[in-house]
Amino acid sequence: MANHTLLLLSQDNAEYKALLQQAYLPGLTILAPEQEADIQHALSKADILLGEPERLRAHLKNARALKWAQSTYAGVDALLSKGCRQDYQLTNIRGIFGPVISEYIFGHLFSLTRHLRHYKEQQRLHNWQPIPYQSIAGKTILIVGTGSIGQHIAHTAQHFGMTVLGISRSGREAAGFDHTYQIPALNNVLSKADVVVSVLPSTPQTRGLFDAARIEHFKPGAIFFNVGRGDVIDEGALIQALRHGNMGAAVLDVFATEPLPTASPLWDMPNVVITPHNSGYSFPEQIVTRFSRNYLKYINHKPMEGLVDFNLGY
């Protein structure tokens, strides 16, 4: 059996090394150097890399033996920009975020629709004051992006009695959705949705998809979630819509610039919830399970899970 060398390029190197050493991965040498000189030496012989996309990108040029890189994120746009090499197999971890992102969406949705923040403030003031609310049952949710994360959100929405609409590049039917449409139908479908969730990656086709003209099609009072990538929406147009337009509220986990600049008006808007890009945290145990399955496929020359198409961008 051929031997393979894995170089860890993650902020969680020690945890990954410990977990990988417990897995039975035949013929694999695991390197996790700390010093830059040691990293450079390891790059000359490692045929496999594992780490966050930005860290992988910083070392691609010198990874002379590279055949496969496993990203610890689902989004790999840092590795898809012009000038980045594409002469290796790249895998991401799509498919494991559905449950945690679904928890995020519905946790915040209930917080808004059931006025949980207001009740916390009323409790502080010893104020007994019921606030009218509506159930989410019977409401319509539009999920833009019908992959594994979108499908998990869709199933959860169905459980709560919502009508579930989806938008994707192909418009093909997907599990959990009542109806799916292609992107040209987006304006029309937006006007029907009480809740809009974007789980889109950053690709040339998705950047700026939600521009000022598109945002005008939102249903009055709609709640917008962005858990995909920040550059799919025009932030200036979003701010205007939240101040003066149709949009009722926005829950934003991703932004065009991260961290979100302290001067951004979004911070101080009462109908905006900001979280620090943590709606779907990837746990090392899950990533090592995925990597281990992929490693066994890699050494047996079988197609790996989460293989990224460099042309499509995901």
Side-chain angles (χ1 to χ4, degrees):
M1 177 184 292
N3 290 319
H4 298 280
T5 300
L6 167 65
L7 171 60
L8 298 176
L9 292 171
S10 169
Q11 58 199 5
D12 302 313
N13 267 5
E15 196 169 355
Y16 280 118
K17 186 172 185 180
L19 289 165
L20 285 161
Q21 284 173 336
Q22 292 165 21
Y24 177 66
L25 299 173
L28 184 64
T29 300
I30 302 163
L31 304 176
E34 296 290 323
Q35 303 302 320
E36 187 58 33
D38 297 329
I39 291 172
Q40 290 304 323
H41 179 67
L43 281 167
S44 66
K45 54 188 177 181
D47 58 323
I48 308 170
L49 304 178
L50 181 149
E52 295 84 35
E54 288 286 356
R55 289 172 188 247
L56 294 176
R57 180 182 175 174
H59 292 96
L60 273 185
K61 190 164 85 265
N62 296 324
R64 291 186 285 282
L66 177 64
K67 295 286 187 290
W68 164 37
Q70 172 73 60
S71 165
T72 59
Y73 293 174
V76 290
D77 25 300
L79 296 166
L80 302 174
S81 53
K82 278 186 181 162
C84 250
R85 41 182 296 203
Q86 300 182 352
D87 59 343
Y88 63 99
Q89 293 190 91
L90 172 62
T91 53
N92 67 8
I93 49 163
R94 62 175 176 256
I96 70 173
F97 289 115
V100 286
I101 291 185
S102 196
E103 289 171 11
Y104 174 95
I105 298 293
F106 286 93
H108 285 290
L109 183 56
F110 288 127
S111 178
L112 290 167
T113 58
R114 300 298 290 261
H115 311 298
L116 302 190
R117 286 196 293 175
H118 295 283
Y119 285 123
K120 189 63 187 168
E121 178 61 15
Q122 287 183 187
Q123 180 181 340
R124 193 179 67 82
L125 300 170
H126 299 198
N127 181 12
W128 181 282
Q129 186 65 48
I131 306 169
Y133 65 86
Q134 292 182 324
S135 170
I136 65 168
K139 300 289 187 186
T140 297
I141 184 170
L142 170 62
I143 303 166
V144 189
T146 62
S148 60
I149 295 171
Q151 287 173 32
H152 204 98
I153 298 166
H155 283 298
T156 308
Q158 283 192 329
H159 170 79
F160 287 115
M162 302 183 83
T163 298
V164 187
L165 308 178
I167 293 278
S168 68
R169 203 167 47 86
S170 68
R172 278 197 298 269
E173 286 184 19
F177 290 85
D178 295 306
H179 302 286
T180 50
Y181 306 88
Q182 290 180 289
I183 289 172
L186 181 53
N187 288 358
N188 189 35
V189 184
L190 271 174
S191 63
K192 302 182 172 91
D194 303 290
V195 180
V196 179
V197 179
S198 173
V199 292
L200 292 171
S202 177
T203 71
Q205 289 71 41
T206 63
R207 281 176 212 127
L209 183 67
F210 289 95
D211 57 13
R214 179 97 59 201
I215 288 170
E216 287 181 9
H217 291 273
F218 272 78
K219 184 177 181 178
I223 299 171
F224 175 70
F225 286 83
N226 193 2
V227 292
R229 280 292 180 266
D231 61 9
V232 304
I233 191 158
D234 177 334
E235 279 179 13
L238 173 65
I239 290 164
Q240 286 301 108
L242 287 160
R243 279 182 178 152
H244 314 294
N246 284 347
M247 207 178 288
V251 179
L252 307 171
D253 190 49
V254 290
F255 303 89
T257 301
E258 294 182 4
L260 181 65
T262 53
S264 171
L266 289 167
W267 285 108
D268 299 306
M269 299 182 75
N271 54 348
V272 172
V273 176
I274 288 169
T275 57
H277 200 148
N278 68 344
S279 62
Y281 178 67
S282 48
F283 298 98
E285 293 84 356
Q286 294 173 300
I287 294 167
V288 167
T289 299
R290 167 66 65 85
F291 175 85
S292 300
R293 283 204 305 267
N294 269 345
Y295 177 73
L296 296 175
K297 292 180 178 184
Y298 174 69
I299 62 177
N300 289 300
H301 308 290
K302 292 180 178 173
M304 292 185 288
E305 297 172 45
L307 199 59
V308 174
D309 183 320
F310 282 107
N311 294 317
L312 290 176
Y314 55 89

